[in-house]
């Protein structure tokens, strides 16, 4: 730890308790940071691509998660290292922004760091490296734009969308029925999409899972599925043309927020209070009835007495419905969420063509289906699967597929997958590097090398000879001037990704490159790491 | 330079071969654990809980065994999970599914040793599973059209399921019991309407199926013990002190006289409530909550049978069978639907007195009273019977049937073998391995019965090379026998679920190449 001295030669304390802190400076700091970043990338590297392996993660509570979704792995990994955390953030932001390519972005950043280390060893200043990377990334992004394709789809012809989602799903555990799932995802997105404004609100798609059955039983419900049942076992299980009152107030006597006491000191008071109480329940049910509701969905619970009254008046009810679900139901049925009984009016009721309760398996699990809603813009993807892990993994995969479909609706440009876009960018950057004067040239060339690492990892995971394959594909691309050659991971027999129908969204790819570059730049700028001592 | 620490303290990371090895070992250990319980001659396990009392459970139900284990190995947890799901979904085959997944992994381990990539193995397994499923579909028999035959199918399935359980001594008797109970459901899979009451004492043979409903409660003192043509009101209401529910209400008095007055008012209120209930014209009142002495006395005066504290299930079931509503308010007697039954009486089973409702409106529900020497025995009997009921109710819906005794496994193995021969490439090794894993199930059944498994399996395989054979392992005589003649059948749905979930689980474990274990959450030291 460096010490400073004043003019009389006395040591000068800069940091609080500095002798207990460890400190890394200069090249050492760079190297430590780079190796941490690479360690994270190394973990994810084997999960890349359709033949990527899964990771098994055991949470602090002992639950097991099996996944190959980069963002999930990193999130669950409990990383302690600061730089490691940066990488986790990186994959998370890719997840938020794009929803797919979370593994690729981390592998890319790892490769960039690896190349940077070599340059640093040769004595190139980190800032120059960072600048070179920045230039290279701009070239890559522009190049991607050039090699991208517009592709057409419409409501009637969803095939291209389905194909893209299938590419995303093919790297997941659910490849077995990627076709079905891709179709479900595309239909769900189209159901809620606003094609005019090119916008999709993914909040309107609810993904619900229930253990049991087969993956093939997964279905798309045009409506809402709620994991609840009717509050009274004898209420009707099937309601047609339901008018739904959506309440956030409990069926209970009011509880004013201000503290108060009702004193009972005479028999009369006791009796009036009793009558009052009964009236409350009666009034509440009556108000619902008067508004014309045929189904009550309530955020809170209700008393046995109220329950019976509802049952008695032939007004089916569902209790303890969560806030998010309540909102979705309100959107789907076109109803309003009503916080007070007095405000219940016929206009505020939601409408649904069919509400039914469905039971599963040998256990008494039941779920409520609300279908044929007035506003069919809310849908539910209902996942079935062999076990909880499978369902969780399917949920994550479906989420990725949904994001991809959404991105395509927002921007229908695509690039081809299988590493072809990376290889093509790498070639373009390599060519640009030679024209660039100055030290940055080396960094730009290093960037090109880093881009190669994605197809390398892909072919490695697919059990191909990585260097051979890459060299072959690269020369093929240059020779035929065709940027669609990539790694043939599935052993189909052709390297042409256009023929294989493997594509990814343009914005996803661009985002990957930009995010990875940004994080690497940030890491490269750190030259001093001060850590407090372990206590 | 190596990174000193990427993860938090105590978090561990295992990679590549080591990770794979850890999951194979864990999964196989679990499979080996339950392996010996497979088949009619399988052995039981004693499970002792760590909780208070160190309760002991004796069982050979795979799901029950695995549920009670504390497992640290993540791969093993996957297997426990599939057995749980199998239990929820079809109710039986919980052991088979774990054993099959374990055997698949055992084969996969050999293949990875031979440097075949896990992804190739998975591809092979998938093809094999598909082919096996097709083979099953072809061979499945459906006797839905013929009610006579269908019933005998059900009977056979029930007997096969029970033969591996504690009830095997009286399997015919219990199979009949289970089939009767399920047939009453008329196709619904709602097993809630079948109530199982366990009463220690007597022997298993004394168990019986009752067409009515039995409530494990006593009749209030001084009330009629026998009611014919009963009108029943099923209620869920407070019959102790009916509190005022308005928030913040409290009683504040300044003299003893006032207290007495209010007490009187309370009593009056209760009396009114009771009067209202009586006004329904009932002669039996069943409440989920407690009934205090005072209202009970009032009921007794009115000659009404009052039953207190029937639990949630009891109430719902009773409402279901008698066809009445569950009421909580009593102001409009005309609109409350009352339940009816021909006869309510107190019966004695062993030492205990129970209330028996017979001649109920809904014919679906019934009660099975289990008798047995000890509570462990009864618990196990209940589990066995539950398995049988689950399988039967699923079979009623999906009436396809297969033969048992290792027959379906051999059929699948044969088809899968054929497929392996036709498939070029490395995948064929995996397909072959799949068939070996399938064959290991009859092997284990034979081993558990103390038979010469190698000899038997080879005979069985030769037998299966002929067209249309019904050969399977006859554990009783210790040879290869005709399963159709022996009447050993299994439900198609169970077999299919076993096949699919076992493959799925094996696939999931195979795909893993790294295990990251987070630091266990610290718990406060509790004394």
């Amino acid at each position: 730890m460096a010490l400073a001295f004043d003019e009389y030669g006395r040591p000068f304390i800069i940091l609080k308790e500095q002798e207990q802190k460890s400190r890394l400076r200069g090249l050492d700091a760079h190297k430590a940071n780079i190796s941490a970043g690479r360690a994270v990338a190394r973990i994810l590297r084997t999960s890349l691509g359709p033949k990527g392996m899964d990771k098994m993660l055991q949470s602090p509570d002992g639950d097991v998660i099996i996944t190959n979704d980069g963002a999930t792995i990193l999130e669950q990994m409990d990383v302690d290292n600061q730089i490691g955390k940066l990488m986790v953030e990186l994959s998370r932001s890719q997840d938020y922004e794009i929803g797919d390519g979370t593994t690729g972005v981390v592998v890319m950043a790892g490769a960039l760091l690896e190349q940077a280390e070599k340059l640093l060893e040769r004595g190139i200043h980190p800032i120059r490296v960072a600048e070179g990377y920045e230039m290279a990334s701009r070239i890559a992004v522009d190049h991607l734009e050039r090699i991208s394709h517009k592709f057409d789809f419409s409501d009637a012809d969803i095939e291209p969308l389905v194909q893209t989602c299938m590419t995303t799903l093919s790297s997941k555990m659910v490849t077995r029925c990627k076709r079905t799932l891709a179709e479900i995802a595309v239909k769900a997105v189209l159901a809620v999409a606003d094609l005019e404004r090119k916008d999709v609100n993914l909040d309107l798609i609810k993904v619900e899972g229930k253990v049991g059955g087969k993956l093939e039983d997964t279905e798309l419900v045009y409506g809402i599925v709620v994991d609840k049942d009717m509050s009274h076992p004898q209420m009707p299980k099937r309601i047609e043309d339901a008018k739904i009152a959506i309440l956030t107030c409990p069926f209970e006597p009011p509880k004013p927020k201000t503290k108060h006491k009702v004193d009972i000191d005479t028999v009369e008071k006791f009796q009036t209070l009793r009558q009052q109480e009964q009236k409350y329940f009666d009034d509440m049910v009556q108000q619902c009835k008067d508004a014309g509701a045929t189904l009550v969905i309530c955020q809170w619970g209700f008393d046995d007495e109220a329950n019976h009254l509802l049952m008695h008046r032939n007004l089916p009810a569902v209790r303890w419905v969560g806030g998010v679900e309540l909102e979705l139901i309100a959107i789907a049925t076109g109803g309003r969420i009503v916080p007070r009984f007095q405000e219940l009016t016929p206009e505020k009721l939601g409408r649904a063509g069919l509400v039914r309760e469905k039971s599963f398996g040998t256990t008494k699990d039941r779920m409520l289906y609300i279908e044929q809603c007035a506003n069919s813009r809310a849908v539910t993807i209902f996942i079935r699967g062999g076990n909880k892990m499978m369902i969780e993994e399917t949920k994550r995969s479906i989420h990725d597929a949904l994001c991809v479909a959404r991105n395509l609706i927002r921007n229908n440009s695509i690039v081809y997958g299988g590493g072809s876009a990376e290889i093509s960018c790498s070639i373009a950057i390599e060519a640009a590097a030679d024209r660039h004067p100055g030290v940055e040239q080396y960094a730009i060339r290093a960037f090109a090398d880093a881009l190669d690492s994605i197809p390398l990892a892909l072919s490695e995971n697919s059990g191909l000879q990585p260097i051979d394959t890459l060299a072959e594909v690269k020369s093929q691309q240059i020779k035929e001037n065709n940027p669609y050659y990539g790694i043939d991971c599935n052993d189909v027999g052709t390297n042409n990704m256009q023929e294989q129908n493997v594509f990814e969204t343009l914005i996803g790819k661009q985002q990957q490159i930009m995010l990875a570059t940004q994080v690497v730049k940030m890491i490269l700028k750190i030259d001093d790491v001060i850590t407090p001592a372990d206590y | 330079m190596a990174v000193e620490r990427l993860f938090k303290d105590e978090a561990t990371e295992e990679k590549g071969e080591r990770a794979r090895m850890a999951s194979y070992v864990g999964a196989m250990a679990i499979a080996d654990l339950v392996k010996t319980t497979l088949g009619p001659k399988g052995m039981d396990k004693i499970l002792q809980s760590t909780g208070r009392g160190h309760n002991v459970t004796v069982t050979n139900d795979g799901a029950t065994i695995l549920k009670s284990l504390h497992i640290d190995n993540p791969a093993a947890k996957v297997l426990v999970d599939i057995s749980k799901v199998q239990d929820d979904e079809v109710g039986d085959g919980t052991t088979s599914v774990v054993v099959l997944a374990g055997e698949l992994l055992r084969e996969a381990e050999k293949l990875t040793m031979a440097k075949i990539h896990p992804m190739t193995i998975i591809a092979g397994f998938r093809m094999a599973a598909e082919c096996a499923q097709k083979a099953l579909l072809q061979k499945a028999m459906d006797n839905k059209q013929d009610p006579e035959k269908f019933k005998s199918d059900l009977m056979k399935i029930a007997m096969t399921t029970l033969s591996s359980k504690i009830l095997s001594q009286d399997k015919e008797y219990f199979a009949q019991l289970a089939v009767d109970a399920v047939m009453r459901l008329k196709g619904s899979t709602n097993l809630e309407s079948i109530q199982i009451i366990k009463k220690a004492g007597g022997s298993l043979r004394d168990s019986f199926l009752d067409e009515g409903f039995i409530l494990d409660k006593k009749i209030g003192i001084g009330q009629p013990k026998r009611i014919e043509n009963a009108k029943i009101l099923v209620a869920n209401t407070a019959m102790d002190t009916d509190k005022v529910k308005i928030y913040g209400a409290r009683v504040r008095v300044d003299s003893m006289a006032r207290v007495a007055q209010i007490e009187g008012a309370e009593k009056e209120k209760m009396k009114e409530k009771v009067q209202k209930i009586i006004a329904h014209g009932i002669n039996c009142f069943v409440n989920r909550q407690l009934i205090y002495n005072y209202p009970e006395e009032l009921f007794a005066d009115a000659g009404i049978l009052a039953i207190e504290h029937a639990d949630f299930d009891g109430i719902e079931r009773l409402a279901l069978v008698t066809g009445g509503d569950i009421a909580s308010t009593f102001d409009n007697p005309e609109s409350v639907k009352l339940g009816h039954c021909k006869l309510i009486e107190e019966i004695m089973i062993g030492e205990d007195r129970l209330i028996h409702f017979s001649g109920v409106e809904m014919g679906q529900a019934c009660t099975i009273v289990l008798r047995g020497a000890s509570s462990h025995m009864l618990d196990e009997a209940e589990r066995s019977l539950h398995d049988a009921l689950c399988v039967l109710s699923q079979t009623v819906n999906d009436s396809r049937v297969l033969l048992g005794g290792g027959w379906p496994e051999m059929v699948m193995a044969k088809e899968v073998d054929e497929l392996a021969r036709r498939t070029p490439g490395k995948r064929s090794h995996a397909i072959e391995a799949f068939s070996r894993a399938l064959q290991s199930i009859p092997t284990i059944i034979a081993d558990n019965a103390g038979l010469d498994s190698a000899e038997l399996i080879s005979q069985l395989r030769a037998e299966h090379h002929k067209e249309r054979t019904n050969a399977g392992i006859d554990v009783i005589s210790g040879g290869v026998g005709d399963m159709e003649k022996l009447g050993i059948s299994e439900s198609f749905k169970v077999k299919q679920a076993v096949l699919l979930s076992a493959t799925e689980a094996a696939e999931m474990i195979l795909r893993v190449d790294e295990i990251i274990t987070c630091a266990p959450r610290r718990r406060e030291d509790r004394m």
Side-chain angles (χ1 to χ4, degrees):
Chain A
M1 180 74 48
L3 278 181
F5 296 94
D6 63 6
E7 65 233 65
Y8 305 108
R10 282 178 306 201
F12 198 81
I13 292 171
I14 303 168
L15 295 170
K16 207 172 160 193
E17 294 165 357
Q18 70 176 358
E19 53 288 349
Q20 281 167 27
K21 288 180 176 154
S22 59
R23 183 172 181 191
L24 281 174
R25 301 178 70 181
L27 201 54
D28 280 346
H30 281 298
K31 282 196 176 166
N33 292 342
I34 287 173
S35 75
R38 279 176 54 199
V40 174
R42 207 164 43 228
I43 291 174
L44 289 192
R45 197 181 153 95
T46 50
S47 293
L48 196 72
K51 297 260 169 112
M53 305 292 279
D54 289 2
K55 306 280 175 254
M56 195 182 258
L57 301 151
Q58 200 167 15
S59 78
D61 298 323
D63 298 334
V64 178
I65 298 172
I66 298 182
T67 181
N68 75 359
D69 179 52
T72 316
I73 298 174
L74 291 176
E75 206 124 311
Q76 299 290 333
M77 225 161 52
D78 212 0
V79 175
D80 205 20
N81 187 294
Q82 300 310 314
I83 303 298
K85 277 187 187 155
L86 269 182
M87 302 291 266
V88 175
E89 288 280 315
L90 167 68
S91 116
R92 199 179 298 158
S93 57
Q94 173 84 9
D95 194 23
Y96 286 159
E97 199 66 26
I98 307 294
D100 189 32
T102 49
T103 317
V105 69
V106 175
V107 173
M108 178 80 212
L112 285 175
L113 286 173
E114 192 178 338
Q115 295 295 334
E117 192 177 8
K118 285 186 199 149
L119 295 176
L120 291 179
E121 264 170 16
R122 282 159 147 195
I124 298 178
H125 193 272
I127 297 296
R128 304 300 284 272
V129 177
E131 271 166 15
Y133 277 2
E134 180 66 41
M135 282 175 208
S137 75
R138 268 203 300 268
I139 300 171
V141 168
D142 291 344
H143 184 72
L144 282 176
E145 195 93 44
R146 266 200 303 284
I147 62 169
S148 71
H149 262 218
K150 291 268 175 210
F151 94 139
D152 298 318
F153 61 88
S154 60
D155 270 345
D157 179 25
I158 58 168
E159 191 55 29
L161 280 176
V162 174
Q163 289 287 351
T164 322
C165 289
M166 271 165 70
T167 313
T168 308
L169 291 176
S170 65
S171 66
K172 312 279 177 198
M173 197 161 22
V174 293
T175 39
R176 189 154 49 90
C177 30
K178 60 178 173 187
R179 175 88 215 177
T180 347
L181 291 182
E183 270 171 22
I184 287 176
V186 171
K187 278 184 194 154
V189 170
L190 283 179
V192 302
D194 187 343
L195 288 176
E196 300 286 293
R197 274 174 46 230
K198 293 201 166 189
D199 194 21
V200 184
N201 184 0
L202 283 189
D203 288 344
L204 294 178
I205 301 176
K206 186 169 175 246
V207 183
E208 183 80 40
K210 190 109 195 152
V211 176
K214 288 179 299 201
L215 203 52
E216 284 83 355
D217 298 339
T218 301
E219 55 178 343
L220 176 67
V221 181
Y222 287 97
I224 307 284
V225 178
V226 192
D227 193 358
K228 289 276 175 296
D229 51 5
M230 294 291 180
S231 62
H232 197 288
Q234 286 164 327
M235 283 178 181
K237 307 277 182 237
R238 194 185 158 89
I239 306 159
E240 279 169 29
D241 283 325
K243 297 194 184 63
I244 306 169
I246 304 160
L247 299 171
T248 52
C249 45
F251 273 91
E252 270 168 23
K255 285 181 184 169
K257 301 272 185 322
T258 39
K259 219 169 170 173
H260 70 288
K261 288 194 177 68
V262 182
D263 283 347
I264 304 173
D265 48 8
T266 58
V267 176
E268 290 76 50
K269 277 193 183 170
F270 182 80
Q271 271 159 356
T272 37
L273 213 55
R274 218 182 86 209
Q275 275 154 14
Q276 189 71 33
E277 180 192 299
Q278 278 175 347
K279 211 165 125 355
Y280 265 130
F281 287 122
D282 247 4
D283 283 354
M284 284 174 195
V285 179
Q286 195 54 45
Q287 267 159 352
C288 295
K289 262 292 197 219
D290 285 346
T294 54
L295 174 68
V296 177
I297 289 179
C298 186
Q299 196 177 10
W300 301 98
F302 27 84
D303 203 73
D304 289 335
E305 254 184 84
N307 200 359
H308 172 72
L309 275 174
L310 286 167
M311 157 75 197
H312 198 73
R313 299 284 193 83
N314 203 7
L315 192 60
V318 186
R319 56 182 153 183
W320 297 122
V321 179
V324 183
E325 280 150 355
L326 212 63
E327 261 174 46
L328 271 177
I329 293 173
I331 295 171
T333 59
R336 291 265 290 279
I337 297 177
V338 181
R340 254 180 226 116
F341 285 99
Q342 291 79 2
E343 287 166 21
L344 207 58
T345 54
E347 304 84 65
K348 287 180 181 168
L349 297 180
R351 271 154 219 281
L354 177 64
V355 178
R356 64 197 166 101
E357 207 180 83
K358 201 174 165 186
S359 58
F360 300 101
T362 60
T363 48
K364 43 181 186 175
D365 283 339
R366 295 195 199 94
M367 294 191 102
L368 202 67
Y369 281 57
I370 303 175
E371 287 169 313
Q372 301 164 18
C373 302
N375 173 7
S376 63
R377 292 285 298 282
V379 295
T380 307
I381 297 174
F382 186 52
I383 299 171
R384 309 299 316 274
N387 53 45
K388 213 173 85 208
M389 285 165 234
M390 196 74 194
I391 290 199
E392 290 302 314
E393 178 67 7
T394 314
K395 267 190 194 172
R396 286 189 286 268
S397 313
I398 288 263
H399 170 252
D400 283 7
L402 289 175
C403 289
V404 169
R406 176 196 60 179
N407 294 341
L408 279 175
I409 287 174
R410 278 194 189 158
N411 181 351
N412 61 352
S413 305
I414 50 151
V415 290
Y416 287 91
S420 65
E422 282 88 354
I423 298 174
S424 170
C425 283
S426 154
I427 295 169
I429 292 171
E430 194 95 39
D434 294 338
R435 286 195 295 278
H436 202 280
V439 189
E440 283 88 358
Q441 194 189 96
Y442 288 93
I444 296 176
R445 207 168 284 141
F447 193 96
D449 285 344
L451 275 173
D452 281 349
S453 72
I454 297 238
L456 274 180
L458 270 181
S459 51
E460 212 174 287
N461 291 345
S462 317
L464 303 166
Q465 291 288 339
I467 300 179
D468 272 5
T469 323
L470 178 65
E472 195 186 315
V473 173
K474 218 170 184 175
S475 70
Q476 216 172 353
Q477 278 209 7
I478 296 177
K479 222 184 287 166
E480 300 179 25
N481 197 16
N482 181 348
Y484 308 136
Y485 287 112
I487 308 291
D488 178 19
C489 300
N490 288 326
D491 236 3
V492 180
T494 168
N495 273 341
N496 193 332
M497 290 297 133
Q498 203 168 14
E499 278 169 34
Q500 277 205 26
N501 268 333
V502 179
F503 27 72
E504 287 173 67
T505 54
L506 172 68
I507 32 175
K509 261 283 118 68
Q510 285 178 334
Q511 193 78 18
Q512 253 184 9
I513 290 178
M514 286 191 302
L515 280 175
T517 317
Q518 263 171 31
V519 167
V520 170
K521 266 172 65 190
M522 182 146 69
I523 295 175
L524 283 176
K525 277 191 177 160
I526 303 168
D527 78 332
D528 201 339
V529 182
I530 301 171
T531 21
D534 296 326
Y535 40 85
Chain B
M1 191 171 98
V3 196
E4 318 85 67
R5 253 184 13 183
L6 189 58
F7 300 113
K8 288 206 174 109
D9 292 348
E10 289 180 65
T12 56
E13 186 193 0
E14 283 183 66
K15 288 192 152 188
E17 286 300 303
R18 275 177 58 94
R20 214 164 277 141
M21 206 46 81
S23 37
Y24 288 154
V25 169
M28 281 190 295
I30 288 292
D32 285 344
L33 185 83
V34 290
K35 202 161 131 178
T36 51
T37 64
L38 198 70
K41 296 266 169 100
M43 306 298 273
D44 289 4
K45 308 263 176 227
I46 285 191
L47 306 164
Q48 191 170 22
S49 78
T50 48
R52 210 173 349 162
H54 294 277
N55 293 327
V56 172
T57 316
V58 183
T59 183
N60 79 355
D61 179 45
T64 314
I65 299 174
L66 293 176
K67 235 183 279 174
S68 345
L69 293 176
H70 294 283
I71 294 168
D72 203 32
N73 186 297
K77 276 191 188 148
V78 176
L79 289 195
V80 174
D81 207 41
I82 56 166
S83 112
K84 222 182 279 171
V85 172
Q86 178 86 6
D87 194 26
D88 288 349
E89 198 64 10
V90 284
D92 194 27
T94 49
T95 316
S96 316
V97 67
V98 175
V99 172
L100 184 58
E103 289 302 324
L104 282 174
L105 287 172
R106 198 188 301 274
E107 293 295 336
E109 187 193 5
K110 284 184 211 152
L111 292 176
T112 34
M113 292 288 209
K115 295 278 176 255
I116 292 181
H117 194 270
M119 284 296 166
T120 322
I121 303 179
I122 290 171
F125 277 7
R126 259 189 211 157
M127 286 171 69
E130 214 166 283
C131 161
Q133 196 191 354
K134 252 184 234 145
L136 275 190
L137 266 173
Q138 272 170 13
K139 299 275 178 174
M141 291 163 281
D142 194 345
N143 286 332
K144 187 116 196 169
Q145 311 308 327
D146 186 350
E148 239 355 84
K149 250 189 164 165
F150 182 53
K151 198 157 181 200
S152 86
D153 272 352
L154 284 182
M155 193 68 196
K156 280 183 202 160
I157 290 175
M159 277 181 19
T160 313
T161 306
L162 291 174
S163 67
S164 63
K165 313 276 155 128
I166 201 167
L167 302 175
S168 63
Q169 289 304 313
D170 308 300
K171 63 179 173 190
E172 240 165 276
Y173 183 72
F174 281 100
Q176 190 64 51
L177 214 69
V179 171
D180 283 349
V182 170
M183 288 307 263
R184 291 175 69 87
L185 291 179
K186 297 188 186 74
S188 100
T189 52
N190 189 0
L191 291 180
E192 275 172 72
S193 12
I194 300 177
Q195 189 196 18
I196 299 180
I197 289 182
K198 296 173 283 184
K199 283 282 163 212
S203 74
L204 279 174
R205 271 226 159 246
D206 296 334
S207 309
F208 59 91
L209 176 83
D210 194 282
E211 307 210 332
F213 178 82
I214 293 179
L215 197 64
D216 193 355
K217 286 281 168 283
K218 289 190 183 60
I219 294 176
I221 299 156
Q223 291 166 346
K225 297 271 187 259
R226 185 186 154 90
I227 295 176
E228 278 178 40
N229 281 332
K231 291 196 207 76
I232 308 162
L233 179 66
V234 186
N236 177 11
T237 184
M239 292 299 277
D240 36 11
T241 47
D242 207 353
K243 283 188 213 79
V244 176
K245 281 172 200 135
I246 292 171
Y247 184 69
R250 61 172 186 177
V251 178
R252 181 173 237 174
V253 287
D254 45 16
S255 69
M256 279 308 283
R258 287 276 170 81
V259 177
Q261 272 176 9
I262 288 179
E263 205 196 331
E266 245 174 30
K267 226 172 183 175
E268 193 58 36
K269 184 180 168 192
M270 185 48 75
K271 195 170 175 184
E272 225 170 77
K273 194 165 180 180
V274 173
Q275 289 304 338
K276 273 188 204 158
I277 292 170
I278 294 173
H280 285 69
I282 53 166
N283 44 21
C284 174
F285 177 70
V286 185
N287 192 14
R288 191 177 77 77
Q289 297 174 22
L290 284 173
I291 303 178
Y292 267 27
N293 286 350
Y294 177 63
E296 192 177 330
E297 186 194 319
L298 291 175
F299 282 125
D301 284 349
I304 290 174
L305 174 63
I307 302 163
E308 63 165 7
H309 213 201
D311 49 13
F312 242 117
D313 278 358
I315 278 289
E316 282 185 16
R317 236 182 244 142
L318 193 59
L320 192 74
V321 293
T322 59
D325 287 346
I326 298 176
S328 287
T329 54
F330 310 99
D331 291 329
N332 317 316
E334 64 287 345
S335 62
V336 172
K337 231 172 109 198
L338 298 177
H340 291 280
C341 80
K342 292 256 162 53
L343 180 67
I344 300 176
E345 59 181 342
E346 202 175 44
I347 53 167
M348 300 275 288
I349 298 178
E351 294 274 281
D352 296 308
R353 277 178 296 174
L354 304 163
I355 305 167
H356 181 222
F357 298 79
S358 56
V360 290
E361 276 187 354
M362 298 261 282
Q364 287 191 358
C366 57
T367 306
I368 294 174
V369 180
L370 283 178
R371 308 299 313 276
S374 71
S375 62
H376 302 308
M377 183 117 156
L378 283 173
D379 285 345
E380 177 64 0
E382 189 194 357
R383 277 191 291 273
S384 315
L385 203 58
H386 174 256
D387 278 6
L389 290 175
C390 284
V391 174
L392 288 177
S393 68
Q394 295 293 336
T395 317
V396 171
N397 279 352
D398 182 349
S399 59
R400 283 171 290 185
V401 199
L402 296 165
L403 295 178
W407 178 83
E409 281 84 5
M410 292 312 284
V411 168
M412 288 191 274
K414 188 187 159 203
E415 286 297 319
V416 172
D417 257 340
E418 301 258 302
L419 176 74
R421 258 175 250 152
R422 287 196 307 267
T423 313
K426 280 190 277 194
R427 271 176 300 187
S428 69
H429 289 288
I431 301 175
E432 240 172 5
F434 196 94
S435 122
R436 274 200 298 279
L438 282 173
Q439 283 177 27
S440 64
I441 296 234
T443 315
I444 294 167
I445 296 181
D447 276 339
N448 285 348
L451 302 173
D452 183 354
S453 61
E455 170 70 22
L456 269 177
I457 297 302
S458 49
Q459 275 185 27
L460 201 56
R461 206 166 51 207
E463 201 61 40
H464 269 266
H465 248 277
K466 298 176 198 153
E467 283 301 308
R468 305 199 58 79
T469 176
N470 293 329
I473 294 180
D474 179 4
V475 178
I476 312 300
S477 75
V480 171
D482 186 330
M483 289 297 123
E484 192 159 16
K485 275 195 202 123
L486 289 167
I488 298 178
S489 300
E490 279 179 88
S491 150
F492 170 75
K493 200 165 174 191
V494 173
K495 270 285 150 240
Q496 179 179 287
V498 166
L499 179 73
L500 292 181
S501 21
T503 322
E504 218 164 70
E507 189 181 305
M508 203 142 78
I509 293 171
L510 269 174
R511 284 179 68 115
V512 171
D513 76 333
E514 185 158 335
I515 302 176
I516 298 168
T517 316
C518 293
R521 199 182 295 281
R522 289 201 188 285
R523 298 214 163 73
E524 302 299 311
D525 272 342
R526 269 174 296 176
M527 291 308 286

